[in-house]
Amino acid sequence: MRKVTITLLLVYLLFAISVSLFGVGEKTLSIGGSAAWRLAESRSGIIEMDKLRPHPVLALAIGGNSPGGSGANAGYDNARHDNAMDMSLSFDEGRADLFADSTGHYRIISAAGAGLSAADIRWARAGNGAALFSVAAAPIGSAFPIALGSAGSAGPLALEACDRDALFAAGRHIRDFSLEFWLYPLNMENGEQILSWTSSMPAQKFSARTASREYFSQKIQCAAVKNKLQWTFQNFFSAPGGEKHINLTLTGDSTVVPKTWSHHLIRFDSDTGLLEYLVNGKVETIVYASSTGGEGGEVYTPVIGEGGSFVLGGRFSGLLDEFKIRGGSSEPGLQKYAPRGGRMETRVIDLGERSSGILKLEASGGRIALAGRSVRNEYAGQGDFRFTDNSAIQFFIRTADNPYRWTDADWRPVMPGTALPAGLNGRYVQLAAVFYPSGDGETSPYLEELRIVYRPDEPPLPPARLMAVAADGAVELSWRNSPSADTSGYLVYYGLARGEYFGESAIIGASPIDAGKRTGLRIEGLENGVVYYFAVAAYKGNPADPLRDTSLNVGEFSREESARPLRMAE
């Protein structure tokens, strides 16, 4: 029994020793979590979300807009780089007085009344916010109120073209175009007006009686009629000669349900004259802007009059989001999250020691689906971030010992929680994460924290017991081996002041001198009567490497010694 007890005790001690030695020298660097996301400085299509987990998480931006900063800049770059985009109102700015067209083609001329405000991300269909009309007393920062203002009390948002490149600038001849928005009506009462555009078009005739040119009005109007939207185009489409104009009306077949988001798209094909109205991606009705009213006649196209302006939400109660006009035909963007996903890259991170070995990448997070104030949050903890609905996060890493030579470092895909392939070594490391939405575009993965587990390639310890013996014009140095088994050699430093080793007079060369694996060195060519100071450092690496300054891993200096060369009596 006593032997069994002793055996068990020995086994326990061996186990305890092995556990204590396991992971010796390993370090962990956290990104996100309690450390926040300051290191995640490059984000495209990615936003930071609070209140989902104990710490802020990174997730896909709704609609694919990336704050870049946040607020007023949300979606700015996307709109600026879409050459077909003519107007883009994301309503992500957080305040109604900051609403702006991110293309720069149109300016806000009125954001009138207390009935216009900004809804936050919980109510947005895309991006970080939406325009909220006719809810003067709504506490938007909390819950959406049940009792709302009535139609007719809204504060409209008015815009006008501010440069000649705008599609709706005076005198423009438009060919293909599309107009789209997301709508969340509260009541859908008859007569509610979501959109109105008006201008004055000079007539071809000149009035001799008044000695002035006659004008007629142009109008585009979108209004509620029996729980459906009706579009009216008055004198908007003109014959090639400009003398004839037609009026067109399109009424949707689908009922627009109150307190439900729906997508609305008008698009025009100038080759055929086809004008289509789509609701949630489904064609509701079509008409032809042509001399025959059908396919095959002479096509009428839009010609823009003078003094044109848009009014959004003039008589409307509800939410409006992602109002866009493009100079070309457009497919409806119905998915909450852009299919292309988003990408985050960290800044270049200094691990402190060259050739540090990256052992593992750990990540924690989950996936989220937003529907109004309803949030479906599935926390997955640590995993591979590949979900059954095809939402996923793919991780990449690259390393280098020189922070200015990233073009030589390739991105390598890695799987969180698994041992990384050999060769991921370097003082500097950078991580990237690509976020992909679910197949239906309604779910986003999110990332709460990233952790880099690495083992620093620490330099060898300094040699012990450095000794310096003066001679005629020289000093004899000797030292003991460094206790570090991976020492490749020693560098000898000398100079004329304590801690300043910039000597140049030695025959063997300027400081530092590579002594290789020797534990002694005679330095000749020194001036007699002058005190010299010496230190030795151990190194790892190959000193013959042309990139010596970055290839050698040099440790700390040994204890400093000094000596004064003297000419000895004969």
Side-chain angles (χ1 to χ4, degrees), residues 432-455:
V434 180
F435 293 64
Y436 295 105
S438 58
D440 60 5
E442 294 298 312
T443 302
S444 167
Y446 68 82
L447 187 60
E448 184 177 17
E449 186 176 13
L450 272 173
R451 292 173 296 278
I452 304 171
V453 181
Y454 66 101
R455 180 177 290 114

Side-chain angles (χ1 to χ4, degrees), residues 331-347:
E331 293 299 322
L334 303 179
Q335 292 188 337
K336 183 179 289 288
Y337 299 104
R340 65 182 177 274
R343 182 182 177 95
M344 176 277 292
E345 291 183 8
T346 69
R347 69 179 65 171

Side-chain angles (χ1 to χ4, degrees), residues 18 28 39 111 148 151 159 174 195 262 285 369 404 406 526 541 547 568:
S18 64
T28 300
L39 293 178
L148 297 162
L159 304 94
I174 301 177
L195 162 70
S262 56
T285 184
Y404 307 107
W406 285 105
L526 304 181
L547 296 176
M568 308 303 292

Side-chain angles (χ1 to χ4, degrees), residues 239-557:
E243 297 182 358
K244 295 181 181 180
H245 312 275
I246 56 174
N247 298 328
L248 299 174
T249 300
L250 300 90
T251 304
D253 293 330
S254 300
T255 298
V256 179
V257 181
K259 299 180 183 178
T260 302
W261 281 109
S262 56
H263 184 267
H264 301 266
L265 170 65
I266 287 284
R267 61 187 181 193
F268 175 67
D269 183 346
S270 60
D271 291 330
T272 62
L274 177 65
L275 183 67
E276 299 177 282
Y277 173 39
L278 294 82
V279 177
N280 293 330
K282 175 178 172 287
V283 177
E284 295 279 305
T285 184
I286 64 172
V287 295
Y288 282 88
S290 66
S291 57
T292 62
E295 190 174 6
E298 186 178 44
V299 174
Y300 286 33
T301 56
V303 180
I304 305 303
E306 300 173 0
S309 64
F310 286 92
V311 175
L312 305 181
R315 292 191 299 273
F316 170 64
S317 291
L319 296 162
L320 189 68
D321 204 1
E322 298 299 319
F323 187 93
K324 293 182 173 65
I325 299 175
R326 285 186 174 88
S329 183
S330 175
E331 293 299 322
L334 303 179
Q335 292 188 337
K336 183 179 289 288
Y337 299 104
R340 65 182 177 274
R343 182 182 177 95
M344 176 277 292
E345 291 183 8
T346 69
R347 69 179 65 171
V348 178
I349 301 168
D350 185 356
L351 299 179
E353 301 290 349
R354 63 170 305 279
S355 298
S356 294
I358 313 300
L359 306 178
K360 187 167 55 175
L361 181 68
E362 297 175 341
S364 59
R367 59 178 170 172
I368 183 176
L370 300 174
R373 298 189 74 241
S374 175
V375 178
R376 190 175 77 247
N377 175 17
E378 179 187 341
Y379 180 66
Q382 297 186 27
D384 61 3
F385 284 86
R386 297 176 186 272
F387 300 99
T388 55
D389 60 3
N390 291 320
S391 59
I393 303 179
Q394 187 175 16
F395 298 90
F396 298 87
I397 190 171
R398 59 181 179 178
T399 60
D401 275 323
N402 188 328
Y404 307 107
R405 300 185 63 186
W406 285 105
T407 54
D408 298 337
D410 295 328
W411 286 108
R412 299 177 66 173
V414 295
M415 185 73 71
T418 62
L420 298 185
L424 282 174
N425 301 316
R427 174 172 176 171
Y428 302 95
V429 63
Q430 189 176 20
L431 301 178
V434 180
F435 293 64
Y436 295 105
S438 58
D440 60 5
E442 294 298 312
T443 302
S444 167
Y446 68 82
L447 187 60
E448 184 177 17
E449 186 176 13
L450 272 173
R451 292 173 296 278
I452 304 171
V453 181
Y454 66 101
R455 180 177 290 114
D457 185 26
E458 296 178 348
L461 296 172
R465 297 192 62 178
L466 173 64
M467 298 179 64
V469 178
D472 185 4
V475 171
E476 290 276 358
L477 296 175
S478 62
W479 58 89
R480 287 187 178 179
N481 279 320
S482 165
S484 300
D486 55 354
T487 299
S488 300
Y490 300 94
L491 294 178
V492 177
Y493 297 80
Y494 69 97
L496 298 176
R498 292 186 180 276
E500 298 181 6
Y501 308 119
F502 305 113
E504 298 179 344
S505 60
I507 295 174
I508 199 171
S511 176
I513 301 167
D514 182 15
K517 289 195 172 185
R518 289 177 291 174
T519 56
L521 187 68
R522 180 181 175 88
I523 302 180
E524 297 181 333
L526 304 181
E527 184 178 350
N528 285 331
V530 176
V531 177
Y532 290 85
Y533 297 88
F534 303 89
V536 178
Y539 66 80
K540 290 192 296 187
N542 179 13
D545 192 312
L547 296 176
R548 173 172 174 167
D549 290 340
T550 59
S551 65
L552 289 185
N553 194 0
V554 182
E556 296 180 358
F557 292 136

Side-chain angles (χ1 to χ4, degrees), residues 67-121:
S70 61
N73 292 325
Y76 181 83
D77 289 337
N78 291 347
R80 296 282 291 186
H81 291 91
D82 185 345
N83 293 329
M85 189 73 73
D86 179 61
M87 179 192 295
S88 179
L89 297 168
S90 67
F91 307 114
D92 293 342
E93 292 83 354
R95 284 170 33 191
D97 60 330
L98 297 178
F99 288 162
D101 165 34
S102 55
T103 70
H105 293 157
Y106 299 84
R107 62 170 169 258
I108 305 292
I109 56 176
S110 173
L116 174 64
S117 56
D120 63 24
I121 190 172

